[in-house]
Amino acid sequence: MRDDLRDKETPIAQVKQSARDLDKILMQPVRKLLGNTRKILLSPDSALNLIPFEALVDENNRYLVENYSFTYLTSGRDLLRLQNHSPSQQPPVIIADPNFDRPGEVVARQPNANSIDAKNTRSIDLSQRTFSPLPGTAKEAEAISILLKVKPLTGVKATEGAVKQVKSPRILHIATHGFFENAPANKEKTTLDDNPLL
């Protein structure tokens, strides 16, 4: 299923069939136990972290997202957070298709090695990297903003500062590049298949 989803040339019928095949193994047995429950809490392990359960297809040829709401749990602490229902302080916020070539701006910077932040950060130096525009995410943001009746923040308005000003929005949708830093050279090489949490 992951291979089919990854390849944009894969016919949708083939994607749905692989999603159906995986559903038979993973979710069909579980659905028999759910009754009327429509909210599913998942704590997937290993390679299951890479499966979009919402995209699985049930015996009625429907995507699971059409009938269920999924919440992914990474630890037991997540269950405690679900109990705290703090009201939204802002309407939905949509941030997409940032302008990484904005003059005078740094995408992210590595903290000074002697600073306190250097010991408590996961930042990597992206100032010398080039990121191509993502016009698909701009279209995505526009479509979602129409549904939610809000104005999306795109281009030069889609900034780290804009994200940091957000306070408990009803929905926060961010569509941009994803990246991760490779392990240092002195550690064993780890691939995505070895550790799907990467």
Side-chain angles (χ1 to χ4, degrees):
M1 180 183 168
R2 283 172 45 207
D3 289 341
D4 287 347
L5 288 172
R6 223 177 284 165
D7 183 1
K8 63 183 179 182
E9 303 298 322
T10 304
I12 192 69
Q14 182 177 329
V15 173
K16 285 189 92 166
Q17 185 57 54
S18 61
R20 176 68 196 120
D21 293 342
L22 190 54
D23 176 79
K24 286 177 188 175
I25 298 167
L26 295 176
M27 291 303 295
Q28 189 168 329
V30 173
R31 272 197 303 280
K32 294 174 183 175
L33 307 172
L34 292 178
N36 294 328
T37 300
R38 293 292 171 243
K39 183 164 184 152
I40 298 175
L41 306 178
L42 282 175
S43 182
D45 186 37
S46 190
L48 292 178
N49 278 291
L50 303 174
I51 301 297
F53 282 78
E54 296 88 344
L56 297 180
V57 175
D58 68 16
E59 55 276 2
N60 298 315
N61 203 35
R62 297 179 62 116
Y63 292 106
L64 297 193
V65 72
E66 295 179 63
N67 292 310
Y68 299 97
S69 167
F70 289 87
T71 299
Y72 293 88
L73 307 172
T74 56
S75 75
R77 287 187 310 253
D78 293 341
L79 291 171
L80 297 174
R81 288 189 196 111
L82 291 174
Q83 295 175 0
N84 298 330
H85 296 289
S86 56
S88 299
Q89 296 177 13
Q90 280 185 278
V93 176
I94 301 167
I95 300 173
D97 192 28
N99 180 358
F100 288 100
D101 294 327
R102 189 169 166 187
E105 293 288 321
V106 176
V107 176
R109 74 179 57 103
Q110 188 74 21
N112 180 314
N114 297 323
S115 73
I116 293 173
D117 289 339
K119 296 172 183 69
N120 300 319
T121 186
R122 294 182 186 183
S123 296
I124 59 175
D125 184 4
L126 301 176
S127 60
Q128 303 305 311
R129 306 254 178 111
T130 302
F131 293 92
S132 58
L134 295 168
T137 62
K139 292 176 186 173
E140 172 186 322
E142 189 61 38
I144 294 170
S145 69
I146 291 168
L147 294 172
L148 298 177
K149 297 177 176 56
V150 295
K151 186 169 176 56
L153 302 174
T154 59
V156 296
K157 293 182 180 179
T159 64
E160 180 179 336
V163 173
K164 287 182 176 179
Q165 290 178 11
V166 171
K167 301 285 186 234
S168 301
R170 191 166 60 88
I171 296 170
L172 175 60
H173 182 86
I174 301 175
T176 185
H177 286 281
F179 55 88
F180 70 95
E181 184 177 22
N182 288 326
N186 61 350
K187 290 189 177 178
E188 276 185 43
K189 184 178 178 188
T190 304
T191 68
L192 188 60
D193 290 327
D194 294 335
N195 184 353
L197 293 178
L198 286 177

